[in-house]
Amino acid sequence: MSWDLKDYVDVPARLKMLAERFPDVRIKEDAPRIITIGDKTYIEVKVTAWRTPDDTLPAVAHCWEPFPGTTPYTRDSEQMNAATSALGRLCAIMMPGAFAKTASADEVFHRAGPPRNFVPKSKTPVPPVGGPDPWDEPTHDQQIQAIVAREQAERKAASTAAPATQPQMKMLAATAKRKGLTVKEDLRVFCADTVGRDITTAKELTKAEASAVIDALTALPDKPQDN
């Protein structure tokens, strides 16, 4: 990545500095507004801060966040990101010169994503405001493994839901005959009890169910041979 966050301070650290400088500070966030300019839509957040109870000139900061968000770190959390950015800029307004950059680390982080090998300078970690936590994103190998596992599961599910094959039905019939289940109704009841659902004929069995019935039939004792 081309940007460097070493000169940016995150919002929690800024708010801590603000509270230390103005112990009686009071901050108010107004209800967000929807702003439309041409074909673009924004969420506007306004925050106001009074340094003291009798402050007659409170500091005010605004932030407009594009809606919908344009990055994974802002999408679906546009209002929260706008509020965080507005708070960061409010702190910069109230403490001129305290920060090398007006934008906070949070604002840059959620706008463009983290640079490679970035380690937050402050002890307060940058909170993942909206979108997936970039530190928890799966690696390329993990993504490939997840895709392969999902496809295997889908194939297995499709295979087990498929109708019983002809070889299975032939084996089922032969095994049932060897066990003495030669009456169709008796075989139907046995199959239904084995798979746990009602069926009108053994031909309704799925591939997985046919395997279960064959295994259950195999476990039965063979029909005694006539002398």
Side-chain angles (χ1 to χ4, degrees):
M1 300 293 181
S2 58
W3 59 88
D4 187 353
L5 293 181
K6 68 178 182 180
D7 293 327
Y8 294 89
V9 181
D10 64 20
V11 171
R14 290 186 178 206
L15 289 173
K16 182 179 179 181
M17 293 172 62
L18 183 68
E20 290 173 350
R21 181 170 297 190
F22 303 105
D24 296 326
V25 68
R26 179 167 62 89
I27 299 175
K28 174 178 176 290
E29 177 184 330
D30 289 355
R33 295 197 309 153
I34 303 298
I35 305 294
T36 301
I37 299 179
D39 60 348
K40 296 184 180 300
T41 302
Y42 300 88
I43 293 179
E44 180 195 52
V45 171
K46 172 186 174 183
V47 289
T48 306
W50 290 263
R51 301 166 184 82
T52 60
D54 57 353
D55 190 352
T56 58
L57 188 61
V60 180
H62 297 77
C63 180
W64 288 14
E65 185 70 32
F67 182 84
T70 57
T71 74
Y73 312 101
T74 59
R75 195 170 299 120
D76 296 330
S77 295
E78 293 85 355
Q79 187 274 331
M80 290 78 85
N81 290 324
T84 301
S85 297
L87 284 171
R89 290 176 177 273
L90 181 72
C91 293
I93 292 172
M94 298 178 70
M95 297 182 289
F99 312 110
K101 304 291 185 180
T102 299
S104 67
D106 306 74
E107 186 173 343
V108 176
F109 185 94
H110 293 110
R111 177 73 60 190
R116 295 292 183 186
N117 302 321
F118 168 65
V119 177
K121 184 172 63 174
S122 70
K123 294 182 179 180
T124 303
V126 178
V129 185
D133 187 340
W135 307 116
D136 292 337
E137 287 185 352
T139 64
H140 176 72
D141 289 343
Q142 290 173 329
Q143 291 176 338
I144 296 299
Q145 292 174 1
I147 293 173
V148 171
R150 184 172 63 251
E151 290 182 348
Q152 289 176 341
E154 290 175 351
R155 286 198 298 269
K156 182 178 181 180
S159 175
T160 55
T165 63
Q166 280 297 112
Q168 281 183 308
M169 295 307 297
K170 289 181 179 179
M171 180 178 292
L172 190 152
T175 306
K177 183 178 180 180
R178 191 172 69 249
K179 303 301 180 177
L181 285 173
T182 56
V183 179
K184 288 185 178 181
E185 178 60 17
D186 292 343
L187 180 58
R188 183 197 69 79
V189 172
F190 181 88
C191 291
D193 288 343
T194 302
V195 301
R197 68 183 182 93
D198 190 29
I199 58 174
T200 58
T201 174
K203 294 181 180 179
E204 295 178 5
L205 295 172
T206 65
K207 188 175 182 180
E209 290 173 339
S211 295
V213 171
I214 291 172
D215 290 341
L217 286 170
T218 303
L220 296 176
D222 289 347
K223 177 183 177 182
Q225 294 293 332
D226 295 333
N227 293 329

